[in-house]
Amino acid sequence: DQQVKQNSPSLSVQEGRISILNCDYTNSMFDYFLWYKKYPAEGPTFLISISSIKDKNEDGRFTVFLNKSAKHLSLHIVPSQPGDSAVYFCAAILSRYNFNKFYFGSGTKLNVKP
Amino acid sequence: NAGVTQTPKFRVLKTGQSMTLLCAQDMNHEYMYWYRQDPGMGLRLIHYSVGEGTTAKGEVPDGYNVSRLKKQNFLLGLESAAPSQTSVYFCASSKLAGKIYNEQFFGPGTRLTVL
């Protein structure tokens, strides 16, 4: 049973517009949430994170929003660029006994059209 | 600084054959992980290690074994490959966990096909 879900397998956006990627989770005990970006034939790379005690974190064009009551996480990319085309994974971390266990969503493939 | 490297990049096996996937990291990270990624599913943890000489089971450990004889290397073994093990395998490493999380750094992946 997946504890982290990304229900949209793909998203297509025009260059310059906003991309919104969504993620839902079931476990209210998660401590942190992260977004990873993955290009073909490469491993995922860390993009941005948010603590469970925050509701927003911003880094340049990337902003992550956390709605704990809805158990929902979203990543906003503004403005979207063709180089942002990749698969985006959300992940949730359960931190226990000095070990961080990661739970990953299935990914959303973003295509930014020039 | 190569980060996390994996060998091989691709492999085709026949059912019943064995093989070992090698992961190496040069960041002096304590923690190392093996994941598999299947279509429509997130990365699932197979085994992990919290330090040299230690290993532990993850979510989907059956059919796999691991060893961490050196801090920088984490080996994933398939004793008798099955078609259900066809997947993309990712290795990752991270610093010691603590009150502040440490993100994982991933290798480029190994695409394994079992016929």
Side-chain angles (χ1 to χ4, degrees):
Chain A
D1 185 33
Q2 276 191 279
Q3 298 194 43
V4 177
K5 292 183 181 178
Q6 294 176 256
N7 292 317
S8 299
S10 63
L11 175 68
S12 190
V13 169
Q14 203 68 39
E15 180 179 6
R17 306 293 289 267
I18 184 171
S19 295
I20 300 176
L21 295 98
N22 294 305
C23 180
D24 296 298
Y25 62 95
T26 56
N27 190 341
S28 58
M29 301 300 289
F30 286 135
D31 299 290
Y32 287 94
F33 301 88
L34 290 78
W35 285 94
Y36 279 84
K37 178 179 181 178
K38 184 186 177 305
Y39 292 116
E42 295 182 12
T45 54
F46 169 73
L47 187 59
I48 191 168
S49 67
I50 187 166
S51 165
S52 61
I53 62 173
K54 306 274 189 185
D55 54 21
K56 178 182 174 182
N57 187 28
E58 195 171 348
D59 184 3
R61 296 185 297 113
F62 302 92
T63 303
V64 56
F65 294 93
L66 177 62
N67 182 336
K68 287 190 74 175
S69 60
K71 295 192 179 69
H72 181 80
L73 187 71
S74 63
L75 174 69
H76 293 211
I77 307 174
V78 185
S80 301
Q81 299 173 354
D84 296 329
S85 296
V87 176
Y88 290 79
F89 291 96
C90 69
I93 298 176
L94 201 59
S95 184
R96 294 292 180 272
Y97 308 112
N98 212 38
F99 179 72
N100 294 327
K101 186 170 183 185
F102 282 61
Y103 296 83
F104 286 89
S106 54
T108 296
K109 185 174 185 178
L110 173 66
N111 179 33
V112 180
K113 296 177 286 188
Chain B
N1 215 357
V4 180
T5 58
Q6 292 181 235
T7 51
K9 287 187 169 51
F10 304 94
R11 187 73 186 268
V12 178
L13 289 178
K14 293 182 180 178
T15 296
Q17 286 185 315
S18 63
M19 79 161 292
T20 300
L21 283 67
L22 172 63
C23 175
Q25 53 96 2
D26 60 3
M27 296 175 282
N28 202 34
H29 285 168
E30 291 292 333
Y31 287 66
M32 295 188 76
Y33 314 78
W34 275 107
Y35 290 91
R36 59 179 287 173
Q37 186 197 4
D38 300 297
M41 303 191 75
L43 294 159
R44 291 184 294 167
L45 185 64
I46 304 170
H47 284 282
Y48 64 95
S49 169
V50 300
E52 183 179 323
T54 73
T55 62
K57 293 181 181 179
E59 238 180 303
V60 289
D62 294 340
Y64 305 94
N65 57 72
V66 287
S67 64
R68 183 104 181 263
L69 297 178
K70 292 182 180 179
K71 186 177 183 178
Q72 63 268 33
N73 295 338
F74 196 29
L75 278 64
L76 178 72
L78 283 72
E79 295 164 341
S80 178
S84 60
Q85 294 178 305
T86 293
S87 189
V88 181
Y89 291 85
F90 288 100
C91 175
S93 72
S94 68
K95 296 178 193 177
L96 273 171
K99 289 184 179 178
I100 300 174
Y101 81 93
N102 287 298
E103 73 263 21
Q104 298 181 359
F105 294 81
F106 284 85
T110 294
R111 186 174 292 275
L112 175 66
T113 302
V114 182
L115 303 174

